[in-house]
Amino acid sequence: RKEVEQDPGPFNVPEGATVAFNCTYSNSASQSFFWYRQDCRKEPKLLMSVYSSGNEDGRFTAQLNRASQYISLLIRDSKLSDSATYLCVVDSGGYNKLIFGAGTRLAVHP
Amino acid sequence: DTAVSQTPKYLVTQMGNDKSIKCEQNLGHDTMYWYKQDSKKFLKIMFSYNNKELIINETVPNRFSPKSPDKAHLNLHINSLELGDSAVYFCASSQDQTAPLYGYTFGSGTRLTVV
């Protein structure tokens, strides 16, 4: 089983749509969780941290379910500029190592 | 000012050559990393240094040798380059060592092509 698993997509959605990405992780000792965004031929950039209580940043909402070892990202009112690959990221359980999922590609079209 | 800067941005070289990639961060972070992103876009950690000390060394061929002269710099030297080394190499840094709370800041990457 991969340490972090994501649906690779692509998700093709129209502008204004709501889209949700899911991610599962295998290490129950993991403590830090993130969503990163990576544009084509660019570096990954931190989108948001994910907290147990759930957190929201504008149109983006992240949820964590520790019991199911599951993380989600919801994007509301999609914009063309949201087109990118979204990486689910989990720490390795205290070893100062972040494990990256393979990413979910989102394409927002007019 | 770029927070994490890598040079060169592109590197094309022949098999068997030796090459180096440099990384510098001006964030005052204690920990720096090298990640490799292959053609399948999978990001994998290679090395991690905390305040000049090697703390993570994943299963990487010993042709790859990192060096950290100080906590703001982490370089990667690769000997006897092979076709399979072609990838994008990202340097990153983080503020803390265990269970990083704030994620990593990445450099813009070095696209290495071995021909």
Side-chain angles (χ1 to χ4, degrees):
Chain A
R1 184 183 172 188
K2 287 182 186 169
E3 291 174 282
V4 179
E5 292 206 63
Q6 295 181 249
D7 180 344
F11 284 61
N12 293 300
V13 302
E15 275 186 289
T18 295
V19 62
F21 305 139
N22 302 320
C23 165
T24 56
Y25 61 96
S26 60
N27 189 345
S28 58
S30 296
Q31 300 170 51
S32 301
F33 309 90
F34 308 91
W35 284 101
Y36 273 72
R37 170 193 169 127
Q38 187 172 24
D39 291 285
C40 189
R41 301 179 80 86
K42 298 283 192 182
E43 74 273 23
K45 289 188 175 174
L46 180 64
L47 180 66
M48 58 198 302
S49 302
V50 187
Y51 305 118
S52 296
S53 53
N55 49 300
E56 190 173 306
D57 183 1
R59 297 181 293 108
F60 298 84
T61 301
Q63 297 275 358
L64 167 65
N65 183 323
R66 283 186 187 270
S68 303
Q69 294 180 203
Y70 170 96
I71 304 161
S72 65
L73 177 69
L74 183 78
I75 306 176
R76 290 181 298 279
D77 188 23
S78 299
K79 311 287 184 196
L80 295 175
S81 57
D82 293 335
S83 298
T85 296
Y86 290 83
L87 304 168
C88 177
V89 185
V90 175
D91 83 89
S92 58
Y95 293 101
N96 190 26
K97 183 169 74 171
L98 291 184
I99 311 296
F100 285 75
T104 298
R105 198 153 61 87
L106 171 65
V108 182
H109 57 82
Chain B
D1 274 344
T2 305
V4 181
S5 58
Q6 290 179 234
T7 53
K9 198 170 175 64
Y10 299 96
L11 187 52
V12 181
T13 187
Q14 289 188 324
M15 275 196 318
N17 284 350
D18 303 337
K19 289 292 176 187
S20 292
I21 308 171
K22 295 179 186 258
C23 179
E24 175 181 1
Q25 55 98 1
N26 63 6
L27 298 166
H29 288 170
D30 286 336
T31 310
M32 295 183 74
Y33 313 83
W34 279 111
Y35 273 79
K36 177 181 179 180
Q37 189 168 41
D38 59 25
S39 56
K40 294 183 179 173
K41 308 300 182 189
F42 206 41
L43 263 167
K44 281 186 146 179
I45 191 166
M46 301 173 69
F47 301 103
S48 170
Y49 271 75
N50 178 262
N51 205 6
K52 302 193 294 176
E53 182 184 342
L54 179 67
I55 53 172
I56 293 174
N57 183 349
E58 293 291 291
T59 310
V60 177
N62 57 16
R63 298 182 295 104
F64 290 79
S65 50
K67 196 165 281 188
S68 181
D70 55 63
K71 75 173 194 177
H73 294 85
L74 179 61
N75 304 323
L76 183 65
H77 187 76
I78 316 170
N79 288 325
S80 303
L81 278 154
E82 299 177 357
L83 293 176
D85 297 333
S86 296
V88 182
Y89 293 83
F90 286 102
C91 177
S93 70
S94 72
Q95 187 171 352
D96 46 23
Q97 182 177 354
T98 55
L101 299 176
Y102 305 106
Y104 299 168
T105 302
F106 282 87
S108 58
T110 296
R111 188 170 296 271
L112 171 66
T113 304
V114 182
V115 297

